[in-house]
Amino acid sequence: MKIAVYNCREDEKEFFNKFSKKYNVEIVPINMEPSIESTMFAKDCECISITSERMITKEMLDSYKALGIKFISTRTVGMEHIDVEYAKSIGIGVSNITYSTNGVADQAIMLMLMVIRKVKHIMIRSLSQDYSLDRSTRGQDLEDMTVGIIGTGNIGTTTAKHLSGFGCRILAYGKSKRDELKGIIEYVDLKTLLAESDIISLHIPATEANYHFIDKKAIEKMKPGVVIINTARGALLDNDALIEALESGKVGGAGLDVIEGDREIYYRNHSYEVLGHREMAVLNAMPNVILMPHTAFFTDHAVSDMVENSIKSCCEFLRSKE
Ligand code: COI
């Protein structure tokens, strides 16, 4: 079987080499994003493996269908960049993959600590050899705080488990209730979570229903000085509402691995370009906001899992067809 791999990054190649041998498949690395122009490079392949930097449009799906592509595997958990219903309707199978949740969970906790320990501000001051102590550099102990986890799927669950070692009170709100979290968290309704949490961390998918899950109204229900952490998807958090609340002091800080409108920006080198993402520029300028370029997932372990599971999902799909 031949799999065309779009956006095949240099750092992924060692894993594609290793796992193509293990699963006896041929990899066609394509150093390009999927687009209507680049569909033709998947000629003679049965499957394509993609990432999430580009939307997979109906036109592209038609083009893949005409080339004989049977299956699309996205090397991501999120699938909102693919028109799955349309793909299915024209007979192309689609699947996402899972990978170790530790990377994202640990980064969420790292962002919590960086914000409450004022790391950005301290590092910037240290660069000009200002090592003085004052209220602006004094932090808080996680143990004294209540952390609210929104969403207890795989990543939210790992975040809660890893967080439990810090001794903080952990509240959670989510559709799926996990037995394994008994004794670690208290499930509460959303209103209680918003009202009682000092830190709120988002771990829900970017569905239509979850669009701007945290908006002006939700922020109004939060504690003054609350810290918001988003390692899930930018669309969950209304940028304007967040900026307004940071300016008024209602929100005391934020750690954002994602930001609405980041799809066209992250994972590319934009040196000497004017980005035109004003909210990103405003948030980046704030001493109490840490932006990361959607790298929470990016660990050796996770990248190895992503490549292996993408190849595996192609093999399983074709086997099921046989
Ligand atoms: C996902 O797997 O859904 C992620 O958020 C990481 C990916 C965009 C590389």
Side-chain angles (χ1 to χ4, degrees):
M1 178 192 21
K2 263 180 158 179
I3 308 172
V5 178
Y6 283 90
N7 282 101
C8 185
R9 301 187 314 268
E10 274 309 309
D11 70 278
E12 288 178 305
K13 284 190 178 157
E14 58 172 306
F15 299 119
F16 273 111
N17 284 337
K18 175 174 164 189
F19 293 117
S20 60
K21 287 189 192 106
K22 178 169 172 189
Y23 294 97
N24 194 24
V25 297
E26 190 181 330
I27 296 299
V28 180
I30 301 174
N31 192 12
M32 268 184 244
E33 291 173 351
S35 66
I36 194 67
E37 291 78 24
S38 67
T39 50
M40 62 177 193
F41 294 106
K43 193 171 167 286
D44 299 331
C45 296
E46 284 103 324
C47 304
I48 64 170
S49 171
I50 60 167
T51 53
S52 62
E53 287 95 321
R54 281 277 178 253
M55 300 303 287
I56 306 296
T57 62
K58 287 191 170 78
E59 197 190 2
M60 285 157 71
L61 290 167
D62 286 335
S63 181
Y64 283 126
K65 177 74 186 170
L67 281 174
I69 297 297
K70 297 183 180 65
F71 185 69
I72 300 178
S73 162
T74 178
R75 307 195 289 289
T76 58
V77 172
M79 291 175 87
E80 69 278 8
H81 51 295
I82 311 171
D83 192 335
V84 178
E85 285 314 308
Y86 185 71
K88 279 191 190 152
S89 75
I90 60 169
I92 298 182
V94 180
S95 158
N96 60 344
I97 47 102
T98 56
Y99 49 90
S100 163
T101 49
N102 293 334
V104 181
D106 292 351
Q107 176 127 322
I109 297 168
M110 180 187 83
L111 286 170
M112 292 175 199
L113 288 166
M114 287 178 84
V115 175
I116 66 171
R117 298 305 301 267
K118 321 260 179 78
V119 167
K120 180 173 172 183
H121 179 56
I122 292 172
M123 287 183 77
I124 290 171
R125 277 176 42 152
S126 300
L127 287 175
S128 54
Q129 299 182 28
D130 177 356
Y131 308 119
S132 54
L133 297 178
D134 58 40
R135 279 301 297 267
S136 77
T137 53
R138 202 168 79 196
Q140 286 161 286
D141 289 7
L142 202 41
E143 189 183 22
D144 299 334
M145 305 179 91
T146 298
V147 180
I149 304 273
I150 298 187
T152 50
N154 293 341
I155 295 175
T157 297
T158 307
T159 306
K161 281 185 188 166
H162 291 195
L163 205 49
S164 65
F166 288 89
C168 47
R169 176 178 177 228
I170 308 174
L171 303 179
Y173 165 79
K175 281 187 190 152
S176 60
K177 310 255 183 305
R178 297 286 186 115
D179 280 346
E180 62 199 288
L181 292 178
K182 265 196 190 129
I184 294 180
I185 61 154
E186 295 161 50
Y187 275 110
V188 291
D189 58 30
L190 185 60
K191 201 167 153 231
T192 308
L193 184 141
L194 296 179
E196 295 189 12
S197 301
D198 300 296
I199 300 175
I200 294 177
S201 191
L202 297 171
H203 300 282
I204 47 176
T207 57
E208 245 171 66
N210 288 344
Y211 181 70
H212 285 183
F213 191 90
I214 300 295
D215 57 8
K216 197 175 154 83
K217 278 200 181 131
I219 292 174
E220 274 164 13
K221 295 179 187 136
M222 294 177 189
K223 263 186 162 175
V226 63
V227 168
I228 299 179
I229 303 296
N230 189 3
T231 52
R233 284 293 184 268
L236 300 174
L237 182 55
D238 179 346
N239 289 339
D240 290 333
L242 176 67
I243 290 171
E244 209 176 285
L246 282 157
E247 282 170 345
S248 73
K250 170 79 190 198
V251 170
L256 310 174
D257 189 51
V258 285
I259 177 169
E260 190 169 14
D262 63 16
R263 189 185 300 282
E264 304 295 318
I265 296 177
Y266 289 160
Y267 307 152
R268 303 172 183 96
N269 183 350
H270 292 283
S271 298
Y272 207 66
E273 275 174 35
V274 176
L275 281 183
H277 193 312
R278 293 185 185 185
E279 295 95 16
M280 188 187 265
V282 170
L283 289 165
N284 241 335
M286 294 185 177
N288 50 350
V289 176
I290 296 183
L291 295 187
M292 299 282 294
H294 202 166
T295 47
F297 79 97
F298 199 44
T299 66
D300 295 344
H301 193 133
V303 175
S304 173
D305 286 352
M306 285 163 138
V307 170
E308 175 166 18
N309 292 338
S310 185
I311 293 178
K312 250 167 100 173
S313 69
C314 295
C315 295
E316 275 159 21
F317 178 80
L318 290 189
R319 207 173 304 127
S320 74
K321 286 283 146 195
E322 278 161 20

